[in-house]
Amino acid sequence: MEQEETTNATFAEAILGKGFFEDPLWRRVQALSQSWRIGAFMAVFAGLLFIPYLGAVGMWDPWEVHYGEVARQMIHRGDYVYEYWENGWLFSKPAMTMWLMVLGMKLVGTNAIAFGEPGAAGTAYVVLWVVLAGGFGVASWFLRQRKQPVLATGAFFAALASGVALALSLSRVRAATVGAPTQPEGALSIYTEWGMRLPFAIVSIIAVTLLTIALSRTVSRRAALATGFVLCTMPLYFLLTRQAVTDTPFVSFFICAMACAIIGQLDATTRHRAGWWYASYVFMGAATLAKGPIGVGFPAVILFLYACLSVIPWNGEALRKHVDWLAKYAVVPALGALGAAVVVTLASYLLMRNAYSGVDRDNLLVRKICAGILGFNAALVAFVVLLRRAVPKDADLPALWAQFYKMRLGTGIVVFFAVAFPWYLTLILFEQVGNQEENQLFWYRFFVHDNIQRLLSGVHTTTPGGTFDYFIEQGGFAIFPWVALVPGALALVSRLKVRSQDPADHVGVIAAIWVAFTFTLLGSSETKFHHYVFPILPGMAILIGLFIDKLWQEGIARHALVLLIGLGLLLLVGKDLASNPKNFTDLFVYNYDRPYPYELVNRPISLFNLRQLWWGDLICVLLLAFGGYLSFDAFSDKTKPVFTRAIGLTILGAGAGLFIEVWRRGDVSASLLLGIGIALAAAYPLYEGVMSKPKPNVDHLVTGAAILLVGAALIVNGVRAGSMGVDEIGRRLLQTVNIKQALGFVFVVAAFLLSVAAVLRARTMLFGTFVAFTLGFALWFNWNHWVDLSHHWTQRDLFWKYYRDRKPDEPITAFLMNWRGETFYSKNQVKQIKENPRMAQYAALPGRKWALVEHARLGILRSAVGPDHVVTVQSTPEMNNKFVLVTIE
C-alpha cells in the first residue's frame, strides 16, 4: 500500500500542477478580490450547467403551465396584482413566481402572434450576437490597449463557448419547428419557454454564487467551492432550477437570505455588516412572496436556534445585565413605541373598515390582524429611533442586545414587511372569492387551506401520510451521488463546537440546524411530495462541503470508516436509480403514477448518430483512461515502483487492443488484439529486469513473465477462436448498451475507482474521480436526458402540430383532462369537455374538429362521438406517451 499523499497542495494544484499558478496571467487573477474570483467562477459554472437547453422543450404540466397561464393572463389583462386562472381569481400561490415569468414573457413576446414580431424569436438571436460581440470587444480591448494576447484569446473563446452553448440550445427549438418558418396564428411565441425559465435559472445562479462567497469569507476557498459544486450537481437542485415553479425562487431566496446573514454575522473583515443584514431581510421578503410564510419562517427559526446555541449567554448574571440595561435605557422608547402602535393600529383598522364593505366576523378579524401588523411595524420604528437617541454611543451593550443591534433586527423586520406585506395586504382586503375550484377568499384559501391544512391535514398530496423514512429515501435520490459523503458530513457535525471562536464551526452549526429543522418540519407534514426535500439540500451541501475541506486537509486514512459506509450508500442508491431511472423524474412531478417513457432508457444509445453504442466502447474508454492515468502518474513520479508502471501499461495496452477491435467493428478476434496489447506491455518490466545492475531483478522479470503469459494465452485463444469463426469476447463487446445499462456501468466503475483511490490513499485520484463522475452525470442529465424526457411531460409539441396543420376556424377541445397545459398553450381558448353528451355535441359541429385526450381514454372518446364520426390519430406515442392529438370528422 502506497503512503498517503501528504502534500499541502490544493486540489487545483494537484490536478493542474503548481507551475500553472506561477504563470503571470494567473498572478493577475490572484490579485483580484477572493470573493470576486470565487463568485465569478461559481456563477459561470452554474450558468454552464443550468442555462443550456432551457427552452429546448415545452413547459412541464401541471405546475409550470398552470403558473405560466396565470403570468400570461397578467400580461394579457394588464393586471399584475390579482392572479387570474381560466375563469376566475387564483389565490393558491403568491405572486413572485408569476412576476418572474412575466419578465421573461415580456422579453420574448409570448403573446405575439407572428414569429417575426419584435420580442418573439429575434430576442434569442439578439442575445446570441450580443454575447459574441461582447467577447470580440473585450478581446480587442485586451489586445490593443493592454497588449495581453493571452487574455484576449481567453475572452474570445469564452464568448465563443457561450455563443455555441446558446446556439445549440436554440437549435433544439428550431429542430422541433421544422416546416414552420413562421409562427402560426394563435400559437405562443417560439421562445416562450426560454423567457419563462431563464429568470428562475438566474435567481438560482445568484443563490449558489452568494452562498459560495459567504463560505469563502467565513470558512475557506476550498469549502466554498466544494459547497457550490456539490449543490449545483445535486439532481433535485439542477432539475428544479430548470423549471418555472414556486419552489425554485423560494429556495433560491432562502439561500440568499442565509448567505447574507452568514456574512453579516461571521465575516470579521466586512465593512458593510448592516448592508448584508438588510439584504438578508430583503431576500426573506422575496422568499415570502414566492412561497408564503415559510419564506421567512425557515431562516428566522434557523437563525433563532443558532443564536440560542452559539450566541445567547445562559446564566443569571447575563440575565441581570440585560434587565438592568432595559430598565435604564428602554422604558421611554417602549412607551413611545406603544403609543405609535396604538395610533397606527386604530387608524389602519378604521381606514380598512370604511374602505371595504364586508362585515363577516372572520373578515373583520383578518383586518384587525393586518392593522396589528402595521401597528407593530410602527412600534418598531418608533422604538429604534427613540432608543438610538437615548443610548450613549459609548454605552456597553449586553450580549443579546448587541446581537440584535448587529443584525439590525428592529429596522430589519420593518424592511421585511415593506417588501412582503403590501401584496399580501392588498389580497387580504380583496373581497371577491377565487375561481370555481376554490370559491374562497384569499386569506382563507392561502393561509388556512394551502398552509395550515397542508401541514396538518394533507391536502393536495398524491402520497398522503408517509413515515419518517419518506424523505430519507427521496433525499438519497435527490443528492445522488453525494449520498456517499453524508456519513462523513454527519460525523463532522458531531465534532462541531457550538461556542467556538472559529467561524467554520458556526457555519457548521447553522447548516446542521438547517438540515435538522427543515427535515423535521417537512417530515411531520401530512402533505408530502418528493420535491419537498428541496429546502434541505443547501444545508446538507454546506455540511458536505465542510467535510470535503476536512477530508483534503486530514487525509483519507482518518476518515476511512465514514467513507466505507458512504460507499455502501452510493452502491445501494445507485443500484435503485440504475434499475429504475423513473425515480429521478418522480423527484419533480405531481402524479407518480404517470407513465414513464421506458423506451428512452431501454433502447440502444446512439453514438454521435453514427452507430449504436457498444459495451466495447465503454470498456475501451475505461481502460484507456484508467491505464493512461496510472501510467502518467507512475512515470511522472520517479519513486513509483516498476510494478505500478507495468500495471498501468498493461491496462493501457488492453485498452488499445479494444480500441482497434471496436474500430474494426469485430472483424478481428478481440482476444487476439487484447493479447497483443497486453504482451507488448510485458516488454517494459522485462527490460527493467534485464537491465538492472549489478544483476537482473527477479521481481521485475517475474512481473513481465506473468503479463506475457496472460497476453500469450489470449493470443492463443484468439487464434483458435478466429479459426472457428466464434469469439465470445468480441461478441459481447459488440452488444448494444441502453441508458439503464450505461448508468449501472458508470455507477459501478465510479465506486470501483473510488475504492481503489481510498485503498491507495490517493487524494487526487479520489477527488478527481468524484468530480468527473458528478459533473459528467449532471451535464448528461441537464443537456440530454432532461430534454428527451420533457417531450412526454409537455403538450407543446402537440399544440405546435395542431397550429401547423389546422385550417382556419378549426377548434380544439381537451376531453376528460385538467392538466393545465391545454389551457396555457391554447391561450385559454381550448374547450374543456368532461361529459360524453357534450363531446357528442362537439363532434356534431360542422367541419373538422381537433381534440386532446389521454391515450388510455381514447376509446372513451371514440364511444362518445359515436360511429357516425371518424376519429383520426394525428400523433404518436413517441411524440408524447401521455396525450394523443386526434381529429374528428
Side-chain angles (χ1 to χ4, degrees), residues 79 127 202 253 357 554 757 771:
D79 182 353
V127 173
I202 290 175
F253 293 135
S357 60
E554 299 174 358
V771 168

PDB file of all heavy atoms in Angstrom, residues 79 127 202 253 357 554 757 771:
ATOM      1  N   ASP A  79     -52.998  43.262 -15.486  1.00  0.00           N
ATOM      2  CA  ASP A  79     -53.189  43.242 -14.038  1.00  0.00           C
ATOM      3  C   ASP A  79     -52.106  42.371 -13.429  1.00  0.00           C
ATOM      4  O   ASP A  79     -52.118  41.154 -13.595  1.00  0.00           O
ATOM      5  CB  ASP A  79     -54.575  42.678 -13.706  1.00  0.00           C
ATOM      6  CG  ASP A  79     -54.872  42.681 -12.214  1.00  0.00           C
ATOM      7  OD1 ASP A  79     -53.962  43.004 -11.424  1.00  0.00           O
ATOM      8  OD2 ASP A  79     -56.016  42.351 -11.831  1.00  0.00           O
ATOM      9  N   VAL A 127     -29.613  38.115 -28.254  1.00  0.00           N
ATOM     10  CA  VAL A 127     -28.781  37.720 -27.117  1.00  0.00           C
ATOM     11  C   VAL A 127     -27.532  37.010 -27.596  1.00  0.00           C
ATOM     12  O   VAL A 127     -26.415  37.252 -27.121  1.00  0.00           O
ATOM     13  CB  VAL A 127     -29.585  36.822 -26.155  1.00  0.00           C
ATOM     14  CG1 VAL A 127     -28.681  36.269 -25.061  1.00  0.00           C
ATOM     15  CG2 VAL A 127     -30.735  37.602 -25.545  1.00  0.00           C
ATOM     16  N   ILE A 202     -31.565  32.179 -13.319  1.00  0.00           N
ATOM     17  CA  ILE A 202     -30.716  33.291 -12.876  1.00  0.00           C
ATOM     18  C   ILE A 202     -30.759  33.440 -11.354  1.00  0.00           C
ATOM     19  O   ILE A 202     -29.717  33.601 -10.712  1.00  0.00           O
ATOM     20  CB  ILE A 202     -31.135  34.594 -13.574  1.00  0.00           C
ATOM     21  CG1 ILE A 202     -30.763  34.519 -15.065  1.00  0.00           C
ATOM     22  CG2 ILE A 202     -30.464  35.797 -12.921  1.00  0.00           C
ATOM     23  CD1 ILE A 202     -31.242  35.698 -15.879  1.00  0.00           C
ATOM     24  N   PHE A 253     -34.100  32.325  -2.865  1.00  0.00           N
ATOM     25  CA  PHE A 253     -34.099  33.497  -1.979  1.00  0.00           C
ATOM     26  C   PHE A 253     -33.804  33.087  -0.534  1.00  0.00           C
ATOM     27  O   PHE A 253     -33.192  33.855   0.228  1.00  0.00           O
ATOM     28  CB  PHE A 253     -35.432  34.229  -2.072  1.00  0.00           C
ATOM     29  CG  PHE A 253     -35.681  34.884  -3.407  1.00  0.00           C
ATOM     30  CD1 PHE A 253     -36.904  34.774  -4.038  1.00  0.00           C
ATOM     31  CD2 PHE A 253     -34.685  35.602  -4.034  1.00  0.00           C
ATOM     32  CE1 PHE A 253     -37.128  35.378  -5.276  1.00  0.00           C
ATOM     33  CE2 PHE A 253     -34.888  36.209  -5.270  1.00  0.00           C
ATOM     34  CZ  PHE A 253     -36.119  36.095  -5.883  1.00  0.00           C
ATOM     35  N   SER A 357     -66.502  46.847   2.415  1.00  0.00           N
ATOM     36  CA  SER A 357     -67.868  46.716   2.908  1.00  0.00           C
ATOM     37  C   SER A 357     -68.136  45.442   3.681  1.00  0.00           C
ATOM     38  O   SER A 357     -69.169  45.310   4.315  1.00  0.00           O
ATOM     39  CB  SER A 357     -68.846  46.774   1.722  1.00  0.00           C
ATOM     40  OG  SER A 357     -68.574  45.719   0.800  1.00  0.00           O
ATOM     41  N   GLU A 554      -7.040  16.528   6.191  1.00  0.00           N
ATOM     42  CA  GLU A 554      -6.656  15.497   7.159  1.00  0.00           C
ATOM     43  C   GLU A 554      -6.344  14.152   6.524  1.00  0.00           C
ATOM     44  O   GLU A 554      -5.793  13.274   7.198  1.00  0.00           O
ATOM     45  CB  GLU A 554      -7.779  15.339   8.197  1.00  0.00           C
ATOM     46  CG  GLU A 554      -8.046  16.627   8.974  1.00  0.00           C
ATOM     47  CD  GLU A 554      -9.253  16.509   9.885  1.00  0.00           C
ATOM     48  OE1 GLU A 554      -9.897  15.434   9.867  1.00  0.00           O
ATOM     49  OE2 GLU A 554      -9.539  17.463  10.618  1.00  0.00           O
ATOM     50  N   ALA A 757      -8.910   4.368  -5.056  1.00  0.00           N
ATOM     51  CA  ALA A 757      -8.274   5.589  -4.565  1.00  0.00           C
ATOM     52  C   ALA A 757      -8.199   5.602  -3.048  1.00  0.00           C
ATOM     53  O   ALA A 757      -7.194   6.032  -2.457  1.00  0.00           O
ATOM     54  CB  ALA A 757      -9.045   6.811  -5.073  1.00  0.00           C
ATOM     55  N   VAL A 771     -15.270  14.261  -8.857  1.00  0.00           N
ATOM     56  CA  VAL A 771     -15.605  15.461  -9.624  1.00  0.00           C
ATOM     57  C   VAL A 771     -15.995  15.098 -11.043  1.00  0.00           C
ATOM     58  O   VAL A 771     -17.014  15.573 -11.576  1.00  0.00           O
ATOM     59  CB  VAL A 771     -14.425  16.449  -9.618  1.00  0.00           C
ATOM     60  CG1 VAL A 771     -14.635  17.551 -10.652  1.00  0.00           C
ATOM     61  CG2 VAL A 771     -14.254  17.063  -8.237  1.00  0.00           C
TER      62      VAL A 771
END
